[in-house]
């Protein structure tokens, strides 16, 4: 039997487990893979055997740094297999996470949970108060404190921001992270953990899910702790609580209501005064009426963070980026996934949010190739969610998107373990008491601001940035807006920030017909009215699997503006790295045929969100197809596709033949046909 398991640090960052096994009358040290040790403990638990007392059986399995599973603690005393299963079944993913690190926190984890309670700041005054500690709030606080020497207070209600809380340690795992932090962590976890292999070794789904949970916690904790360290170093006061404008005191007075677990809360309040206020409370999922959201089996794109088990089947409503992202994540976790979309042509739904037609086509084809079912032109008519049996399936009744019957042969009902509605987001402003400060909102709840992100507050001292002002709901643009707001409120020379952000004038191009449609002045670059419609304002990265990204104009946009546009396309399978490691995908250069100038870059495939930044510089620097052809690119890199796409632009006939040959080989490869 296994008598003990100890931990030995390797030269790398990971920790490798060592098992000590008793062989006859002696002991023998065995260096076993961590997955094998998991199987051993799982077998002991499933066989009904009790683990030896804690003193002689200390099994600490560390698969990743700071993510510890203490199976002995779970099985000590007389805990049976059934009670173990029940305990695991009712453990949410992150919101009420309890793992050994929580029970015996390290010095670093204790430090990261430290924050100032509202009672400690009551009656104090600050140069700047920032509401919301996402990427916009944290980066803006650091800029104001470090570059301007401002006395800054950062107020955040972490339990109200996506349920990314470790309730045992009090650690806010979402601190400084974007809205999609959980999905990004889950996506990365899937890459590290082979669910099929773990199931094949006999692990139950709850054990597999715990592996995924630990990996997500590790990744989220790294980000949150780094943000907290930076805030502490910059001297920013970080307070956990709900902030709102006071009924009296004007736009400079804020009431902070403590969250549960802080001194004096809930119930006690604190008042702080600030010369300037920045609202960066982000967004919340849009919840259509008629959907019985319960946070157990019916989720939105935030409450999915509290998922407590690995679902066997998932139904997702939505055709946007979030829906597709989660569809691929759950499919890679081994779940059966059904995507319900209102549009009868999935590619059209993606084109509506700005994707090039070929990029959208690749994403849809990948969904089908992955085995994801797509119910087109449909919506859910009725939900039947069992309330007393979590193992019984949810039954969804479907109807046509226009409300009528679905076409003959189409599914009229779907059974699933969980349901996710990912149908957009809306600004998070409901609890701020904005009217007390004279702040107006639009019909969607977004804060109305001018080109310098100033709100309509009396006195002109309140600014807003990020999702709270509306589209495009991106962390990158929100952070840039936060920078502009801070620089504006402290009246810093614009040129200083423009250098930090890579130039204030935006893209300059000989194709005047394109540029005159979009603002190029610094003041207008981050105006939310222009951000959502300006293709030269920022690159778009879509964290689906495969990734997609674009910058600049599409072919259709060029033609709509009277530009004689052409395309140069390179398949991933045409470059060596793509052929060997990631053959599915393409890179497209959109250019002006009259002068060869590159007007847009569109990519779908591995590392697309990284590759797009080189494409952005090609567009901003007015580079031409000939410039790309004249460059030398390192061998066995994805960047070789830029040169291949440029060659396709000047040799269309030859490029079509090369792509056709590569496409046939790729189709055969995807079909499992060996090539001679």
């Amino acid at each position: 039997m296994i008598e003990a398991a100890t931990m030995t640090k390797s030269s790398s960052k990971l920790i490798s487990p060592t098992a000590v096994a008793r062989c006859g009358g002696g002991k023998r040290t065995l260096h076993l893979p961590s997955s094998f040790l998991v199987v051993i403990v799982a077998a002991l638990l499933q066989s009904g055997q009790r683990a030896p007392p804690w003193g002689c059986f200390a099994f600490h399995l560390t698969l990743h740094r700071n993510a510890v599973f203490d199976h002995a603690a779970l099985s000590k005393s007389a805990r049976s297999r059934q009670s173990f299963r029940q305990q695991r079944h009712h453990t949410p993913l992150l919101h009420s996470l309890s793992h050994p690190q929580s029970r015996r926190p390290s010095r670093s984890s204790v430090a990261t949970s430290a924050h100032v309670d509202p009672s400690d700041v009551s009656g104090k005054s600050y140069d700047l108060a920032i509401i919301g500690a996402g990427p916009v709030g944290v980066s803006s606080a650091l800029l104001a404190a470090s570059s301007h020497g401002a006395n800054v207070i950062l107020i955040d209600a972490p339990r109200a921001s996506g349920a990314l809380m470790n309730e045992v340690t009090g650690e806010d795992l979402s601190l400084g992270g974007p809205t999609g932090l959980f999905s990004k962590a889950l996506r990365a976890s899937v890459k590290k953990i082979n669910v099929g292999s773990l199931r094949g070794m006999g692990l139950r789904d709850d054990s597999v899910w715990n592996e995924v949970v630990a990996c997500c916690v590790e990744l989220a904790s790294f980000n949150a702790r780094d943000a907290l360290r930076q805030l502490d170093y910059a001297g920013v006061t970080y307070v956990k609580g709900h902030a709102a404008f006071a009924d009296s005191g004007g736009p400079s007075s804020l009431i902070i209501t403590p969250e549960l677990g802080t001194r004096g809360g809930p119930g006690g309040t604190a008042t702080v005064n600030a010369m300037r206020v920045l609202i960066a409370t982000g967004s919340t999922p849009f919840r259509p009426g008629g959907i019985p959201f319960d946070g157990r089996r019916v989720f939105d794109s935030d409450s999915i963070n509290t998922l407590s088990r690995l679902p066997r089947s998932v139904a997702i409503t939505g055709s946007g980026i979030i829906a597709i992202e989660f569809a691929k994540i759950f499919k890679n976790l081994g779940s059966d996934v059904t995507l319900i979309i209102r549009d009868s042509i999935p590619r059209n739904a993606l084109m509506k949010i700005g994707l090039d037609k070929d990029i959208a086509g690749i994403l849809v084809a990948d969904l089908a190739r992955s085995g994801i079912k797509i119910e087109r032109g449909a919506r859910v008519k009725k939900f039947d969610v069992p309330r007393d049996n979590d193992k019984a399936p949810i039954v969804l009744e479907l109807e046509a998107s226009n409300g009528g019957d679905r076409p003959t042969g189409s599914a009229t009902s779907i059974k699933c373990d969980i349901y996710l509605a990912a149908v957009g987001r809306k600004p998070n402003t409901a609890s701020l008491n904005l009217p007390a400060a004279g702040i107006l909102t639009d019909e969607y709840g977004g804060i109305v601001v001018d080109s310098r992100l100033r709100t309509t507050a009396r006195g002109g001292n309140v600014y807003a940035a990020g999702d709270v002002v509306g589209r495009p709901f991106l962390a990158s643009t929100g952070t840039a807006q936060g920078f502009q707001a801070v620089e504006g409120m402290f009246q810093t020379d614009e040129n200083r920030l423009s250098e930090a952000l890579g130039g204030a004038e935006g893209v300059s191009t000989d194709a005047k017909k394109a540029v005159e449609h979009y603002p190029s002045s610094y003041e207008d670059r981050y105006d939310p009215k222009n951000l959502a419609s300006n293709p030269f304002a920022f690159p778009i990265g879509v964290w689906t699997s495969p990734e997609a990204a674009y910058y600049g104009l599409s072919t259709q946009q060029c033609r709509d503006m009277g530009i004689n546009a052409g395309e140069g396309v390179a398949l991933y399978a045409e470059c060596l790295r793509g052929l060997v490691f990631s053959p599915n995908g393409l890179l497209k250069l959109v250019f002006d045929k009259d002068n060869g100038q590159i007007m847009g870059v569109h990519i779908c495939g591995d590392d697309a969100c990284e590759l797009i930044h080189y494409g952005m510089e090609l567009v901003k620097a007015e580079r031409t197809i000939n410039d790309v052809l004249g460059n030398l690119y390192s061998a066995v890199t994805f960047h070789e596709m830029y040169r291949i796409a440029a060659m396709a632009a000047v040799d269309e006939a030859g490029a079509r033949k090369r792509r056709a040959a590569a496409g046939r080989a790729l189709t055969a490869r995807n079909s499992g046909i060996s090539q001679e």
Side-chain angles (χ1 to χ4, degrees):
M1 61 172 289
I2 294 179
E3 182 181 29
T6 60
M7 305 309 304
T8 59
K9 289 189 177 181
S10 65
S11 59
S12 66
K13 294 181 179 180
L14 296 179
I15 301 176
S16 59
T18 301
V20 180
R22 175 175 293 165
C23 300
K27 297 180 180 179
R28 188 174 182 181
T29 299
L30 302 176
H31 295 270
L32 300 175
S34 56
S35 57
F36 183 71
L37 294 176
V38 175
V39 174
I40 293 174
V41 175
L44 289 173
L45 293 172
Q46 292 183 12
S47 66
Q49 297 184 28
R50 295 180 181 178
W54 176 262
C56 65
F57 185 83
F59 186 88
H60 297 285
L61 174 61
T62 301
L63 293 180
H64 306 285
R65 185 176 54 184
N66 298 326
V68 183
F69 289 125
D70 191 337
H71 287 263
L74 292 174
S75 58
K76 68 177 182 178
S77 303
R79 183 174 294 156
S80 65
R81 172 186 176 187
Q82 180 63 28
S83 63
F84 172 76
R85 178 176 298 164
Q86 291 175 349
Q87 190 272 341
R88 281 306 195 193
H89 178 72
H90 291 96
T91 301
L93 175 59
L94 292 173
H95 192 57
S96 298
L97 184 67
S98 176
H99 54 84
Q101 183 189 354
S102 303
R103 291 191 290 274
R104 296 190 290 183
S106 64
R107 181 177 299 178
S108 62
S109 67
V110 173
T112 57
S113 63
H115 62 275
V116 176
D117 286 302
S119 59
D120 296 326
V121 299
S122 185
K124 294 185 178 181
S125 298
Y126 294 87
D127 297 326
L128 171 62
I130 299 178
I131 308 174
V136 179
V138 169
S139 60
S140 299
L142 294 174
L143 177 66
S146 301
S147 298
H148 302 286
N151 184 16
V152 181
I153 182 172
L154 178 63
I155 311 165
D156 187 53
R159 289 177 179 82
S161 58
L164 283 167
M165 281 293 299
N166 185 330
E167 296 291 358
V168 177
T169 64
E171 184 179 5
D172 174 16
L173 300 176
S174 66
L175 179 65
T179 299
L181 176 64
F182 165 67
S183 63
K184 306 301 182 293
L186 193 58
R187 179 177 179 265
S189 300
V190 173
K191 292 183 177 181
K192 291 184 177 182
I193 299 173
N194 190 318
V195 174
S197 296
L198 293 179
R199 280 175 167 167
M201 290 187 292
L203 265 72
R204 297 191 304 268
D205 281 354
D206 51 7
S207 297
V208 175
W209 188 240
N210 286 334
E211 298 288 336
V212 176
V213 169
C215 194
C216 288
V217 171
E218 175 192 34
L219 295 172
S221 294
F222 286 165
N223 180 78
R225 292 172 184 177
D226 181 66
L228 196 57
R229 281 192 294 268
Q230 292 187 59
L231 291 171
D232 181 63
Y233 182 79
V236 175
T237 301
Y238 171 46
V239 179
K240 288 184 179 180
H242 295 268
F245 288 95
D247 289 329
S248 60
S252 297
S253 181
L254 295 173
I255 300 293
I256 305 176
T257 304
E259 286 197 312
L260 183 64
T262 57
R263 293 202 305 271
T269 60
T271 302
V272 297
N273 296 304
M275 294 179 61
R276 308 166 185 85
V277 177
L278 175 63
I279 303 173
T281 49
S283 61
T284 58
F286 173 68
R287 287 190 163 194
I291 299 179
F293 294 102
D294 58 13
R296 290 191 317 113
R297 304 188 68 185
V298 181
F299 303 93
D300 59 35
S301 56
D302 276 358
S303 62
I304 190 67
N305 299 351
T306 63
L307 181 63
S308 61
R309 61 194 173 106
L310 180 61
R312 288 285 180 174
S313 57
V314 182
I316 302 174
T317 290
S319 57
I321 301 308
I322 297 176
I324 292 177
E325 184 176 349
F326 274 110
K328 286 302 299 285
I329 286 172
F330 281 114
K331 187 62 183 179
N332 291 337
L333 284 170
S335 304
D336 291 329
V337 179
T338 301
L339 195 60
I340 305 168
I341 65 174
R342 297 175 66 92
D343 203 300
S344 58
I345 303 176
R347 186 177 70 174
N348 289 351
L350 290 172
M351 291 173 63
K352 290 177 182 177
I353 60 175
L355 290 180
D356 173 84
K357 59 181 177 60
D358 292 327
I359 302 298
I362 287 179
L363 287 178
V364 173
D366 180 77
L367 293 175
R369 186 166 52 247
S370 300
I372 295 173
K373 301 175 185 176
I374 302 177
E375 294 296 338
R376 311 160 188 244
R379 67 182 183 184
V380 180
K381 177 182 179 181
K382 181 181 178 182
F383 294 82
D384 183 4
V385 184
R387 295 301 177 186
D388 55 356
N389 185 358
D390 285 345
K391 293 185 178 181
I394 298 173
V395 179
L396 308 175
E397 292 187 17
L398 303 182
E399 64 180 358
S401 57
N402 60 7
D405 294 333
R406 300 200 68 200
T408 303
S410 300
T412 57
S413 67
I414 295 174
K415 294 182 178 180
C416 59
D417 281 347
I418 67 169
Y419 171 83
L420 169 63
V423 289
R425 303 187 67 84
K426 62 179 182 179
N428 183 23
T429 58
S431 63
L432 297 174
N433 195 23
L434 297 178
I439 299 174
L440 300 178
T441 59
D442 60 24
E443 63 270 29
Y444 303 105
I447 295 177
V448 176
V449 295
D450 62 16
S451 61
R452 288 184 175 271
L453 286 308
R454 280 189 300 253
T455 70
T456 58
R458 298 183 297 273
N461 67 319
V462 181
Y463 293 69
D467 289 5
V468 77
V469 298
R471 294 177 62 197
F473 295 115
L474 295 174
S476 57
T477 57
T479 299
Q481 287 176 328
F483 284 178
Q484 183 192 358
V486 169
E487 295 293 338
M489 66 177 67
F490 287 100
Q491 298 181 347
T492 301
D493 183 4
E494 293 177 355
N495 292 331
R496 176 181 175 186
L497 180 61
S498 70
E499 288 182 11
L501 297 179
E505 291 304 318
V507 65
S508 174
T509 174
D510 290 335
K512 299 298 182 184
K513 290 177 289 186
V515 171
E516 65 186 10
H517 284 73
Y518 303 105
S520 60
S521 70
Y522 172 79
E523 183 171 313
D524 292 335
R525 287 184 70 196
Y526 304 110
D527 184 341
K529 298 183 182 66
N530 298 318
L531 269 177
S533 61
N534 184 357
F536 296 120
F538 53 89
I540 295 290
V542 180
W543 292 95
T544 49
S545 179
E547 297 173 11
Y550 63 93
Y551 179 82
L553 301 176
S554 67
T555 305
Q556 188 59 51
Q557 285 175 315
C558 285
R559 291 171 180 169
D560 290 344
M561 297 175 186
I563 299 172
N564 184 21
E567 296 178 350
V569 177
L571 301 180
Y572 268 62
E574 290 184 271
C575 76
L576 181 56
R577 183 175 181 182
L579 178 64
V580 174
F581 297 107
S582 178
N584 296 303
L586 66 79
L587 182 149
K588 176 187 290 188
L589 300 178
V590 177
F591 65 98
D592 186 342
K593 288 184 177 181
D594 294 339
N595 54 25
Q597 184 173 327
I598 298 172
M599 304 301 299
V601 180
H602 306 263
I603 313 172
C604 183
D606 273 12
D607 291 339
C609 295
E610 300 288 346
L611 291 167
I612 195 59
H613 295 95
Y614 175 65
M616 177 178 69
E617 286 306 308
L618 292 178
V619 176
K620 293 181 68 174
E622 308 174 48
R623 300 302 183 191
T624 66
I625 292 296
N626 286 334
D627 290 331
V628 176
L629 287 172
N631 288 339
L632 181 63
Y633 299 89
S634 296
V636 200
T637 65
F638 287 136
H639 279 81
E640 288 185 294
M641 288 187 293
Y642 279 99
R643 182 181 56 80
I644 296 171
M647 291 177 60
V650 298
D651 181 16
E652 296 183 22
R656 281 194 294 269
K657 294 179 181 179
R658 290 190 295 271
R659 287 199 300 271
R664 286 191 295 269
L666 180 58
T667 300
R669 175 176 173 177
N670 288 335
S671 302
I673 302 175
S674 60
Q675 298 297 301
E676 299 182 357

